[in-house]
């Protein structure tokens, strides 16, 4: 038998070896590329987990609030004279009768929030018969006490710069030993408006303002965006003017949002004289931001409808308008709705344009109409992040968590709509 390996020419064997080497290099390059891609994904997920962990660890404690139980004597004279703050001070002083000096009484009263009299008002409103009696009542603790109970402020006596005095630490320890201090779910956070006192600050005003703003955004941007998309895709002639309009719409989607805020400031506030800090103006500005997204998504959804559906409807005698309204638009609506919800979610997280129209004002009251001054969730996060009190740090993170829940719900709704109504051609 002959040796076949010696029968292969040297040039051919060199070509085979060169091809094998190139193939090995290509496989190594592919493996490196996959490793780099996997590393990038893991790094991005790591940063995401770190971000979420930081927000959750800082904000989870804000959903609990410290309360102190005080035996309140609902004195009729104090109630009729509307001296409920004095009633709060006298009630907690009865718990510590040895406190006599004015400075000690002031330190003792500061264990409770400056808004503790609101707890008395709510108790009287719930049961007016307690007037003239003595009842145990859980009152909101001050932010320093709340931070101490949550471990953010030291409770060790004698430390320089301690937020609580040694006497306050001793009184708090005595109250805790008697079972008169506990943490409850922070209902204030979801039922009140903003406040200078961290323990009394809530998100409800910003939530209502966000709902009003998004409702106006949807009412303005959705019909205008869908009508524009339908006209450009189905009725507009293909010439340089429509091409110019399409290019400008695509460019508007990339314009910084603060530019829309300047536009709203110039037109809605200065020219039209609309109310400042109102959800009405905020909704109109956010509608300008959403319009390009809705138009682009709407045109893509309309373009995805097969031409055969249009041709079949026209062949059966339908007019162009009937083809669009009865056949093309209903089939494209799931994609349009998905783009609309994603655009609304993007608008919900915008802060810069709303700052330009004055929605950065400190608003305590809950807005009753879209014309009332209000804040929105992103602006509320901005305001609390700028506050110096330590307790606002956790409330800022809690507000971010609430905002993320809203954004997650809106994105989940978009995914569910796409899965439920999506047509595959």
């Amino acid at each position: 038998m002959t040796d076949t390996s010696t029968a292969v020419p040297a040039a051919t064997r060199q070509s085979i070896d060169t091809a094998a080497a190139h193939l090995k290099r290509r496989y190594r390059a592919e493996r490196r590329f996959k490793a780099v891609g996997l590393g990038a994904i893991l790094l991005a997920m790591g940063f995401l987990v770190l971000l979420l962990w930081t927000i959750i660890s800082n904000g989870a404690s804000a959903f609990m609030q410290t309360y102190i139980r005080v035996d309140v004597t609902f004195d009729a004279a104090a109630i009729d004279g509307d001296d409920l703050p004095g009633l709060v001070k006298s009630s907690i002083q009865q718990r510590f009768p040895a406190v006599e000096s004015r400075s000690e009484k002031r330190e003792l009263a500061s264990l409770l929030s400056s808004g503790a009299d609101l707890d008395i008002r709510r108790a009287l409103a719930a049961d007016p018969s307690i007037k003239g009696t003595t009842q145990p009542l859980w009152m909101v603790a001050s932010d320093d006490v709340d931070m101490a109970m949550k471990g953010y402020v030291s409770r060790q006596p004698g430390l320089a710069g301690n937020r609580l005095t040694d006497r306050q630490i001793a009184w708090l320890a005595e109250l805790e030993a008697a079972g008169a201090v506990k943490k409850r779910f922070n209902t204030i956070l979801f039922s009140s408006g903003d406040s200078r006192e961290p323990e009394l600050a809530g998100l409800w005003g910003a939530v209502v303002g966000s709902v009003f703003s998004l409702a106006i955004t949807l009412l303005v941007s959705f019909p205008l965006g869908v009508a524009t998309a339908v006209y450009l895709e189905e009725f507009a002639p293909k010439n340089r003017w429509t091409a110019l309009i399409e290019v400008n719409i695509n460019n508007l989607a990339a314009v910084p949002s603060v530019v829309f805020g300047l536009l709203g400031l110039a037109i809605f506030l200065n020219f039209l004289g609309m109310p400042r800090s109102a959800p009405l103006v905020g909704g109109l500005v956010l509608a300008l931001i959403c319009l390009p997204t809705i138009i682009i998504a709407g045109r893509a959804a309309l373009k995805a409808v097969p031409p055969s559906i249009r041709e079949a409807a026209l062949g059966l005698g339908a007019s162009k308008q009937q083809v669009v309204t009865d056949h093309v638009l209903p089939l494209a609506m799931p994609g349009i709705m998905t783009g609309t919800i994603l655009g609304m979610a993007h608008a919900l997280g915008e802060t810069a344009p709303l700052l330009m129209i004055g929605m950065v004002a400190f608003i305590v009251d809950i807005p009753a109409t879209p014309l009332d001054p209000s804040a929105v969730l992103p602006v509320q996060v901005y305001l609390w992040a700028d506050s110096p009190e330590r307790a606002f740090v956790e409330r800022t993170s809690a507000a971010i968590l609430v905002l993320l829940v809203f954004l997650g719900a809106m994105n989940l709704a978009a995914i569910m709509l796409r899965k439920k109504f999506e047509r595959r051609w």
Side-chain angles (χ1 to χ4, degrees):
M1 297 179 65
T2 60
D3 188 1
T4 57
S5 62
T6 60
V8 179
T12 302
R13 189 163 51 248
Q14 183 179 2
S15 299
I16 293 174
D17 293 341
T18 303
H22 288 170
L23 189 61
K24 289 181 180 179
R25 285 198 298 270
R26 190 179 70 183
Y27 286 158
R28 286 196 299 268
E30 289 180 355
R31 287 193 294 269
R32 286 196 300 269
F33 182 77
K34 291 180 180 178
V36 170
L38 180 60
I41 293 175
L42 293 177
L43 184 62
M45 292 181 63
F47 280 123
L48 178 61
V49 170
L50 178 62
L51 173 64
L52 292 177
W53 172 251
T54 302
I55 296 174
I56 293 173
S57 61
N58 287 332
S61 58
F63 297 101
M64 302 297 292
Q65 177 63 42
T66 303
Y67 285 79
I68 297 177
R69 189 186 65 206
V70 179
D71 292 330
V72 179
T73 301
F74 292 88
D75 183 64
I79 296 173
D80 294 338
D82 200 22
D83 187 20
L84 298 186
L87 187 59
V88 172
K89 295 178 182 179
S90 62
S91 297
I92 194 170
Q93 287 168 11
Q94 291 175 5
R95 178 68 177 76
F96 297 93
V99 175
E100 295 182 353
S101 67
R102 180 177 298 180
S103 61
E104 289 181 344
K105 290 181 179 180
R106 186 163 51 249
E107 289 180 7
L108 180 60
S110 63
L111 292 178
L112 296 175
S113 170
S114 60
D117 59 299
L118 297 176
D119 295 314
I120 296 180
R121 294 182 188 276
R122 283 191 285 266
L124 288 169
D127 185 10
S129 63
I130 62 176
K131 185 176 180 180
T133 65
T134 300
Q135 302 288 337
L137 186 64
W138 289 95
M139 296 185 181
V140 181
S142 67
D143 60 319
D144 289 335
V145 172
D146 186 50
M147 291 294 98
M149 293 299 298
K150 293 175 180 176
Y152 296 118
V153 172
S154 175
R155 297 177 60 181
Q156 182 178 351
L159 289 181
N162 204 338
R163 298 287 299 179
L164 297 175
T165 66
D166 293 348
R167 286 193 295 260
Q168 287 177 319
I169 294 174
W171 294 329
L172 183 58
E174 183 177 343
L175 289 169
E176 192 176 6
V181 180
K182 70 176 181 180
K183 292 191 285 289
R184 291 179 172 180
F185 181 73
N186 190 3
T187 56
I188 297 175
L189 188 65
F190 299 98
S191 60
S192 301
D194 199 5
S195 174
R196 300 295 185 191
E197 304 296 333
E199 70 275 9
L200 301 178
L203 287 171
W204 186 240
V207 170
V208 174
S210 296
V211 171
F212 280 148
S213 298
L214 289 180
I216 293 170
T217 300
L218 180 63
L219 291 176
V220 174
S221 63
F222 183 73
L224 286 178
V226 173
T228 304
V230 169
Y231 176 76
L232 290 176
E233 193 63 33
E234 301 293 337
F235 296 101
K238 304 303 179 183
N239 52 37
R240 61 180 181 178
W241 294 110
T242 55
L244 180 63
I245 292 173
E246 293 173 5
V247 170
N248 283 312
I249 290 174
N250 293 330
N251 289 336
L252 282 175
V255 170
S257 58
V258 68
V259 176
F260 293 99
L262 292 172
L263 179 64
L265 175 64
I267 296 179
F268 300 135
L269 295 184
N270 296 338
F271 182 72
L272 298 179
M274 291 185 175
R276 194 176 184 87
S277 303
L280 174 63
V281 182
L284 292 175
V285 172
L286 295 179
L288 297 177
I289 299 175
C290 288
L291 267 175
T293 303
I294 296 175
I295 293 172
I296 294 172
R299 294 194 64 191
L302 292 168
K303 194 176 296 184
V305 177
S308 58
I309 293 178
R310 298 175 175 84
E311 295 168 358
L314 290 172
L316 292 175
S319 65
K320 180 67 174 178
Q321 180 180 352
Q322 289 174 327
V323 170
V324 173
T325 57
D326 297 342
H327 301 280
V328 177
L329 190 57
L331 293 175
M333 191 54 67
I336 296 174
M337 293 175 64
T338 300
T340 301
I341 294 176
L342 293 178
M344 297 284 290
H346 173 231
L348 177 61
E350 287 292 345
T351 305
L354 301 180
L355 297 180
M356 297 303 300
I357 61 172
M359 295 194 77
V360 70
F362 175 72
I363 306 298
V364 177
D365 298 327
I366 309 298
T369 68
L371 298 176
D372 296 333
S374 173
V376 290
L377 282 172
V379 176
Q380 194 66 70
V381 171
Y382 170 79
L383 291 173
W384 285 356
D386 197 43
S387 298
E389 289 86 351
R390 175 61 182 82
F392 273 120
V393 174
E394 63 171 14
R395 278 159 175 76
T396 301
S397 298
I400 294 174
L401 288 175
V402 174
L403 180 59
L404 290 177
V405 169
F406 271 88
L407 294 175
M410 296 181 72
N411 283 275
L412 180 61
I415 295 173
M416 293 177 64
L417 285 174
R418 184 172 66 245
K419 293 293 185 181
K420 182 176 179 61
F421 298 108
E422 186 178 22
R423 298 285 187 93
R424 295 188 180 273
W425 311 103

